[in-house]
Amino acid sequence: MAMADTVKQLKRSIGSSRPDSREMEFTFTAPNAKKVSIAGQFNNWDTQAMPMKKAKNGVWTIKLKLPLGKCEYKYFVDGSWVNDAACSEAVPNTYGTSNSVITVQ
């Protein structure tokens, strides 16, 4: 009986704890692009790990579960790095350009 109560308490505490990540949706408009992916700190800047899907209207999308806090990222469009034009925050990188930044809360 005591073991069952302990398990119930554990389940309640896990269920009420704040998650450490959130699902975020990224969209990128590029009707003429052949291949678009997203890369950033969350995937070691791997340009092939997270391909985006293109809708008929030319908008590419992907949903990612990201850790809370700030994450730097960029789109990789047909072999070229592209910042997120819809993103209001950017930081300089070591290549003399900048990375887009999203704050996950």
Side-chain angles (χ1 to χ4, degrees):
M1 186 87 139
M3 179 67 127
D5 289 335
T6 302
V7 170
K8 285 179 188 176
Q9 283 181 330
L10 183 59
K11 284 182 180 178
R12 274 196 299 268
S13 69
I14 290 171
S16 66
S17 66
R18 185 173 170 192
D20 60 353
S21 63
R22 297 258 194 263
E23 185 175 79
M24 306 296 290
E25 182 174 41
F26 292 84
T27 61
F28 184 77
T29 303
N32 298 321
K34 304 279 188 246
K35 187 176 180 182
V36 177
S37 62
I38 189 168
Q41 294 173 315
F42 44 81
N43 71 354
N44 271 341
W45 298 95
D46 184 342
T47 60
Q48 296 181 21
M50 297 177 169
M52 298 175 74
K53 293 185 181 179
K54 185 179 182 181
K56 290 182 182 182
N57 63 359
V59 177
W60 297 76
T61 61
I62 190 168
K63 288 183 181 180
L64 303 175
K65 197 164 193 170
L66 297 178
L68 298 181
K70 292 187 178 225
C71 288
E72 295 179 30
Y73 70 98
K74 279 185 133 167
Y75 295 111
F76 197 66
V77 182
D78 293 336
S80 297
W81 290 105
V82 179
N83 277 1
D84 186 349
C87 182
S88 61
E89 187 176 357
V91 294
N93 61 34
T94 58
Y95 302 101
T97 62
S98 63
N99 297 331
S100 300
V101 177
I102 186 168
T103 301
V104 182
Q105 300 178 353

